[in-house]
Amino acid sequence: RARRADPPDGGWGWMIVAGCFLVTICTRAVTRCISIFFVEFQAYFGQDYARTAWIHSIVDCATMLCAPLGSLISNHVSCQVGIMLGGLLASTGLILSSFATSLEHLYLSLGVLTGLGFALCYSPAIAMVGKYFNKRKALAYGIAMSGSGIGTFILAPVVQLLIEQFSWRGALLILGGFVLNLCVCGALMRPISLKEDCKTAPELLEQNYVPEKEKQDLKRMSICSPLIKLWPHECLCYCSWKEYDFLLMPGFMVLAVSILFMAYGCSPLFVYLVPYALSVGVSHHQAAFLMSILGVIDIIGNITFGWLTDRRCLKKHRYFCYLFAVGMDGLSCLFLPVLQSFPLLVPFSFTFGYFDGAYVTLIPVVTADAVGTPLLSSALGVVYFLHAIPYLVSPPVAGWLVDTTGSYTASFLLCGFSMMFSSALLCFARLAKKIKRTHLPSLTGNTALKQHIWTNGAIAYSVTAELDQRDVEFLAVDTNSFSNR
């Protein structure tokens, strides 16, 4: 297959966006709608808040914990195979859940099995959008990730109606059939090969080894001839550990820590918004409608923030747009305990839903800016993996606080402060980086980028380092003498 120099930014890419849109409906929207089953599960099995909340926690945790597995299958087998397999597993889990006789049964079927299926679908589908788009990346992600909001808007009242008509067992069975559409989404994910993902040995030697005046000498190096013979049309692949060397990047490390706090703060809201609304006297249909409002405004946040941050004036400030959106969601959670009627909860759903859609859209964009497009699939796998522990712990902790204090105030305050700390951490890290750049002396043009390339006969390895001008001159003399032997 011919390799493109740049992402096409259109064409079949829009079908990839449509496929990712459907994936987010079948994964994230369905996961959010599990909170509608919360009251039904609690009443049927006669358990407290904390034990019932483990169902939603395990689904989210399994989805994020197994995200690197989804990236691994996508990178080394096929994105299409991974998503289709995930769709079958998720559907099986939901269907088996409809026959549950205990919470432990739901932990395994709805939690582990369905969550694993979602994991195989979610991060590979999102990474594929990044492969097909560059200039309009944020807009493409906005449209693709809006499936979560649209799905929540449509599915929340539908699931409530299904529960009333067919009980929670029938509703889970129907959702199991609906999630099989993930197999159709997987069929749309046509692979694409970009030159920046895999470069041939001569290309790397010419582009990154020495300055322009030395390139002709390097072309004649006899040491390169085995490489050219061995890989005339193949890629110079980094060793497997190279896919995860971004873990040592300071920018990614700060982003990872902030995601832990952000994930802790956002998860309980989707579990406890409906039970909280019911506890303050809101009817079942109004409570489900709050989730619908949150979902549809989530769509607006996805698309408008994606479009705005693709504009020239904001494209360089997407990092700050992301931390602003996270901070606003945290601030909304702090005010939630004083909102105790349906007219007051509606503005909360608007605000939280909009900024939730905004930062969800920007997570893959900010990650791509931090590690680069070639490593995006692996990086997203790690990013969503980092969501796992907070998603697992935060709903039960919030439920324990509700059982202990008799109110939702402590739970929502903890969520709000956690998200605001995540935003503040990113802000301080960026300010510290700017201060450091200001005080460091400017780099001169006396350094050159060098890339060592060697082979063990089967795999070619490369390590990048900096050489001063004297080292470059010495290298050129040494290679010339080697070629004359």
Side-chain angles (χ1 to χ4, degrees), residues 3 193-209 224 226-228 230-240 242-243 374 451-464:
R3 299 188 189 97
S193 182
L194 301 176
K195 285 188 176 180
E196 64 177 354
D197 296 330
C198 281
K199 294 185 179 181
T200 62
E203 287 171 344
L204 283 175
L205 288 170
E206 289 184 6
Q207 292 178 12
N208 299 323
Y209 198 50
C224 291
L227 290 174
I228 299 171
L230 286 173
W231 299 286
H233 301 293
E234 298 295 325
C235 295
L236 178 64
C237 298
Y238 294 101
C239 22
S240 59
K242 197 70 177 175
E243 295 178 7
Q451 194 145 14
H452 285 302
I453 299 181
W454 71 94
T455 179
N456 65 359
I459 301 176
Y461 302 89
S462 67
V463 174
T464 303

Side-chain angles (χ1 to χ4, degrees), residues 6 25 62 80 90 105 154-155 173 204 233 348 369 383 444 452:
D6 298 304
I25 289 178
Q80 295 170 316
H105 187 161
I154 297 173
L155 287 180
L173 188 64
L204 283 175
H233 301 293
F348 167 81
D369 290 343
V383 165
T444 61
H452 285 302

Side-chain angles (χ1 to χ4, degrees), residues 345-368:
L345 287 171
V346 169
F348 167 81
S349 293
F350 272 87
T351 306
F352 188 90
Y354 182 82
F355 288 107
D356 177 76
Y359 78 74
V360 166
T361 294
L362 292 180
I363 285 177
V365 177
V366 172
T367 305

Side-chain angles (χ1 to χ4, degrees), residues 113-191:
L113 190 58
T114 301
L116 175 61
F118 288 165
L120 298 184
C121 301
Y122 191 55
S123 57
I126 293 173
M128 283 295 291
V129 176
K131 295 281 187 181
Y132 272 84
F133 288 87
N134 184 22
K135 295 179 182 178
R136 292 178 284 184
K137 182 181 290 185
L139 176 60
Y141 271 125
I143 297 172
M145 304 295 281
S146 67
S148 177
I150 291 176
T152 304
F153 174 71
I154 297 173
L155 287 180
V158 170
V159 167
Q160 182 63 46
L161 183 62
L162 290 174
I163 292 173
E164 293 175 359
Q165 295 294 322
F166 305 106
S167 80
W168 62 267
R169 295 185 185 276
L172 285 176
L173 188 64
I174 294 171
L175 280 179
F178 173 74
V179 165
L180 274 176
N181 285 294
L182 286 169
C183 297
V184 179
C185 301
L188 294 174
M189 299 296 169
R190 180 189 297 172

Side-chain angles (χ1 to χ4, degrees), residues 322-380:
Y322 168 78
L323 65 90
F324 173 74
V326 173
M328 288 300 296
D329 260 1
L331 190 63
S332 300
C333 288
L334 295 181
F335 283 99
L336 183 56
V338 300
L339 308 177
Q340 299 187 358
S341 65
F342 181 72
L344 293 177
L345 287 171
V346 169
F348 167 81
S349 293
F350 272 87
T351 306
F352 188 90
Y354 182 82
F355 288 107
D356 177 76
Y359 78 74
V360 166
T361 294
L362 292 180
I363 285 177
V365 177
V366 172
T367 305
D369 290 343
V371 304
T373 302
L375 298 175
L376 179 58
S377 180
S378 299
L380 281 176

